[in-house]
Amino acid sequence: MERLPDPEAERAHLESLLDPHERQGVLDGRIVVDEWAGGIAQERAAVPSVRVGRRWVNSLWILPLAVAGLLLSIAVAQQLRRYGWMQDFIDRFPGTSATYAAAVDSGFPWWLRWQHFFNLVFLMFIIRSGLQILADHPRLYLDPGCRPGKEWLRMRGPVPADRLDPDDPERVWTAKADSVSLPRWLGIPGFRHSIGLARWWHFGFDLLWIVNGALFLVLLFVSGQWARMVPRSLDVFPNAVSTAVQYLSLSFPANESFTRYNALQMLAYFLTVFVAAPLALVTGLLQAPALAARFRIAKGLLNRQIARSVHFAVLLWMVLFTLMHTVMVFTTGLVPNLNHITLGSDGSSWWAVVVYVMWMAVVVVLWLWASPFTIRNPRTVQRVGKALVGRFKAMMEWWNPKANYAERDISPYLWPNGEPPTSEEYDRLRAGDWSGFELEITGLVEEPCKISWDEMLAMAKHEQVTQLYCIQGWSGIAKWGGVKMSDLLALVRPLPEAKWVVFYSFAEGPETPGTGRYYDCHRIEHMAHENTILAYEMNGERLGVTHGAPLRLRNELELGFKQVKWVEAIELVASFDHLGAGYGGYNEDQEFFGYRMPI
Ligand SMILES: Nc1nc2c(c(=O)[nH]1)N[C@H]1C(S)=C(S)[C@@H](COP(=O)(O)O)O[C@H]1N2
Ligand SMILES: [Mo]
């Protein structure tokens, strides 16, 4: 260990590697989509295909199948109604009945009507930004290692088979290259690799939606409105069958929904409110690295990929429910139905239609506004998103990321991300098998110094089999071997004012060339955990270039983008305001991510 001769100069040099401050204006201004993410072409998402055995089937086949199924069901239902036993059955279970549903006399109170409207607006943002998040890794798996070819749904072709070799770092297929774009009217913000911004929309409106939903549940039970949705006897099931037969035979049951819903309606609402909505929340949380590291669920039934798949299924249910709900509102007496939900009356005033049209106009305006606004004001979206949900996300940072897995859990393939370093110095050090490499640790420490490669290899080696959760949605488990950050910091002795540990990469960030070094800041508290290491081995072998040689960070509480690869130097600081654009890391500066990312 050699003391740094001029720590201040080293520090200034390191900080100068980050994005120069002249670019601040560019970063705070509107996004130029053609230059975004290194100028990657807007490769459009394909209509999802689903794997059936070894074949890939276009999901649009569901449409003709649904039409055929519907026609057939109508024919069958009409035939059934000719039979005496079916008529008896419908007489006995008319579809709407006091046996399973108590009458609700209070109509539709004002809070319910407004919450219903807000729910629609929030869900619109959540679903669109959710699709954008999916487009950043347009494949869904059940296997926790996300092995290419194992996915059950995909929105682009297969990963090119000749680009899977991690020993070919120049050509290996990165997860970023795999992302696709969505049209601007569909995704938010509707261009490729915009997950950082999409997530602020998704999480921000999640919070509003959860608050709205929680309030709704409280009011539902306080007011007695719950009786609309919770069946009080199993009679709801035969009545639901009866309702289905009546609808399908195109001879609709009586509409008494001002006081009680028919059984099919009740079950659909029950499922949506009490099953789908909580499931959306739970499967969202299950995708958090901090949660998985705390409860050791990166493998097994609660793994991130199953959670992601179920999360997507809930999205489909919400879309389907909204469509069916709207169709039924229009076909079972539009004007009275609108009177219920807009005016809260059982009349047939045309004012209800006026209010409805105004509500829908608001939805359309918000719909059209969201993507262009995000492109013009990305920094505002990042700041508002952080103000809304930053605190809640950060709560997960206090968990203990203790999970360790067995060697047999190691994923056969780990997706890579990032552009390897291109400097001559890096190539020279690599050619010398890192023997000439010295890790520099400077900043707010008592003993700024350089630690040689041999010294590092001589330090206690810590091994762990842990998960890597990328923000894009893929994940994997690998075995890492290296030095504990706590051991390294013990050598340099941090000063009490040091709060953040900055990891500088040898590599430029993967955005537009000239945007500076990749770097990221981590809380100093996280360095104390034994699973926070600088790894020089992966799966029992010396780390290759693709996955971050000579050293890459592992902090099990955080998402993948914070795990800096090709680490060159470390600096301890009291605040990161003066580094780069001041947001805590390369992706935070350039792609509007948050800096505390345990989810
Ligand atoms: N220097 C540098 N480190 C980086 C990146 C990068 O672009 N540059 N990408 C990050 C991202 S987004 C992820 S998900 C992980 C991926 O690690 P892996 O390639 O070893 O799977 O590395 C992180 N470290
Ligand atoms: Mo990532």
Side-chain angles (χ1 to χ4, degrees):
M1 192 172 118
E2 187 191 326
R3 209 186 147 91
L4 280 184
D6 188 350
E8 269 318 303
E10 287 301 329
R11 202 177 162 166
H13 166 69
L14 283 175
E15 293 180 4
S16 75
L17 298 174
L18 306 181
D19 179 52
H21 282 277
E22 303 91 73
R23 270 184 49 86
Q24 192 87 37
V26 177
L27 291 169
D28 285 341
R30 79 179 278 154
I31 288 171
V32 180
V33 172
D34 290 340
E35 292 168 14
W36 176 258
I40 41 171
Q42 292 302 312
E43 166 125 11
R44 275 289 171 97
V47 172
S49 322
V50 174
R51 187 154 55 88
V52 181
R54 286 164 160 245
R55 292 176 65 107
W56 285 94
V57 181
N58 189 317
S59 61
L60 285 182
W61 277 106
I62 200 85
L63 294 179
L65 285 176
V67 171
L70 193 63
L71 282 177
L72 194 66
S73 310
I74 290 173
V76 169
Q78 288 188 331
Q79 186 61 30
L80 285 176
R81 287 197 75 165
R82 291 169 188 268
Y83 300 129
W85 57 266
M86 179 52 85
Q87 284 159 17
D88 294 344
F89 175 74
I90 291 176
D91 285 343
R92 192 164 156 224
F93 301 106
T96 308
S97 139
T99 57
Y100 69 85
V104 175
D105 304 322
S106 47
F108 290 85
W110 66 270
W111 54 266
L112 189 146
R113 293 170 352 236
W114 279 105
Q115 289 204 303
H116 174 262
F117 171 66
F118 285 130
N119 187 60
L120 173 69
V121 173
F122 297 164
L123 263 186
M124 182 263 288
F125 288 130
I126 291 172
I127 287 174
R128 292 178 57 203
S129 52
L131 287 174
Q132 187 77 58
I133 292 170
L134 176 62
D136 229 69
H137 190 67
R139 305 177 192 276
L140 289 175
Y141 320 75
L142 303 176
D143 105 83
C146 302
R147 193 173 179 178
K150 286 262 186 173
E151 64 269 37
W152 67 267
L153 179 143
R154 68 186 195 201
M155 282 159 44
R156 67 175 301 158
V159 177
D162 59 339
R163 300 197 51 186
L164 288 170
D165 180 5
D167 291 332
D168 191 354
E170 310 278 87
R171 274 177 52 78
V172 71
W173 187 252
T174 61
K176 180 172 144 190
D178 205 53
S179 64
V180 287
S181 71
L182 291 177
R184 210 151 292 176
W185 61 265
L186 180 60
I188 301 177
F191 55 93
R192 197 169 167 198
H193 197 43
S194 52
I195 187 168
L197 290 162
R199 274 170 55 108
W200 292 122
W201 282 94
H202 199 68
F203 285 56
F205 279 96
D206 281 350
L207 182 71
L208 298 180
W209 183 70
I210 290 167
V211 169
N212 192 50
L215 212 61
F216 172 73
L217 287 179
V218 170
L219 292 171
L220 203 66
F221 286 97
V222 169
S223 68
Q225 286 282 334
W226 62 271
R228 283 186 190 282
M229 289 191 200
V230 184
R232 60 177 181 185
S233 94
L234 291 179
D235 257 18
V236 72
F237 292 107
N239 275 294
V241 173
S242 163
T243 322
V245 171
Q246 295 179 66
Y247 277 132
L248 285 171
S249 63
L250 302 182
S251 159
F252 285 12
N255 181 355
E256 297 173 27
S257 52
F258 198 63
T259 45
R260 66 168 70 90
Y261 293 145
N262 71 49
L264 206 56
Q265 231 176 336
M266 186 186 248
L267 288 181
Y269 293 167
F270 182 89
L271 207 66
T272 304
V273 171
F274 298 108
V275 179
L279 201 57
L281 175 60
V282 170
T283 51
L285 291 173
L286 283 175
Q287 297 177 56
L291 189 122
R294 167 67 183 76
F295 296 105
R296 197 169 179 272
I297 51 171
K299 60 165 200 164
L301 274 182
L302 296 178
N303 86 60
R304 189 190 211 191
Q305 301 311 321
I306 292 182
R308 245 179 115 226
S309 295
V310 176
H311 203 66
F312 179 67
V314 175
L315 179 151
L316 292 182
W317 169 259
M318 291 298 189
V319 172
L320 188 74
F321 173 83
T322 309
L323 284 177
M324 298 281 291
H325 179 61
T326 307
V327 166
M328 297 316 284
V329 166
F330 272 73
T331 54
T332 60
L334 181 64
V335 176
N337 283 338
L338 290 182
N339 270 267
H340 300 168
I341 199 61
T342 62
L343 306 177
S345 88
D346 203 15
S348 47
S349 161
W350 279 89
W351 281 113
V353 181
V354 174
V355 175
Y356 175 72
V357 169
M358 280 175 5
W359 276 0
M360 287 306 124
V362 171
V363 172
V364 170
V365 167
L366 289 176
W367 188 302
L368 296 176
W369 162 83
S371 287
F373 174 82
T374 309
I375 291 170
R376 274 196 299 273
N377 305 283
R379 212 47 103 185
T380 307
V381 170
Q382 183 188 30
R383 290 212 180 99
V384 173
K386 185 180 160 235
L388 273 175
V389 294
R391 248 166 230 284
F392 293 99
K393 287 201 302 157
M395 275 153 61
M396 290 189 175
E397 280 190 343
W398 301 107
W399 290 347
N400 177 3
K402 61 185 180 188
N404 266 291
Y405 296 87
E407 303 229 350
R408 64 171 181 282
D409 300 324
I410 292 173
S411 308
Y413 184 80
L414 189 72
W415 280 80
N417 246 338
E419 301 291 324
T422 50
S423 67
E424 281 175 19
E425 195 204 352
Y426 181 82
D427 288 344
R428 184 176 58 77
L429 292 169
R430 181 161 75 103
D433 205 16
W434 307 111
S435 57
F437 171 61
E438 291 171 308
L439 174 71
E440 187 178 305
I441 308 182
T442 182
L444 299 175
V445 293
E446 281 177 30
E447 198 83 18
C449 68
K450 284 178 172 175
I451 301 165
S452 76
W453 185 241
D454 286 339
E455 281 170 321
M456 218 149 11
L457 296 186
M459 288 171 71
K461 179 165 140 194
H462 181 76
E463 288 190 317
Q464 63 201 58
V465 181
T466 51
Q467 71 205 20
L468 193 158
Y469 276 30
C470 172
I471 191 169
Q472 296 179 285
W474 56 269
S475 50
I477 295 176
K479 180 174 164 184
W480 306 101
V483 281
K484 285 197 268 188
M485 274 307 297
S486 55
D487 289 347
L488 284 171
L489 291 187
L491 294 176
V492 293
R493 295 196 300 278
L495 295 171
E497 56 270 34
K499 282 214 168 73
W500 297 92
V501 184
V502 194
F503 294 84
Y504 291 85
S505 178
F506 273 110
E508 298 281 302
E511 270 274 355
T512 313
T515 50
R517 286 295 179 90
Y518 197 91
Y519 76 104
D520 209 89
C521 301
H522 287 253
R523 302 180 76 78
I524 198 160
E525 292 88 341
H526 294 179
M527 300 299 123
H529 200 279
E530 61 166 5
N531 281 355
T532 304
I533 67 170
L534 278 182
Y536 50 74
E537 277 183 11
M538 176 179 166
N539 297 339
E541 286 175 26
R542 187 56 63 75
L543 197 58
V545 171
T546 295
H547 290 292
L551 294 171
R552 62 107 30 95
L553 177 65
R554 297 295 315 145
N555 172 355
E556 305 302 334
L557 277 173
E558 303 286 342
L559 282 172
F561 77 89
K562 293 192 73 82
Q563 320 295 340
V564 179
K565 302 199 286 190
W566 311 295
V567 171
E568 177 181 11
I570 294 173
E571 182 190 0
L572 277 70
V573 294
S575 127
F576 51 68
D577 292 348
H578 64 294
L579 299 177
Y583 292 87
Y586 181 86
N587 286 295
E588 294 87 327
D589 290 347
Q590 310 272 343
E591 296 187 346
F592 309 99
F593 288 14
Y595 62 86
R596 305 178 79 174
M597 291 293 230
I599 175 164

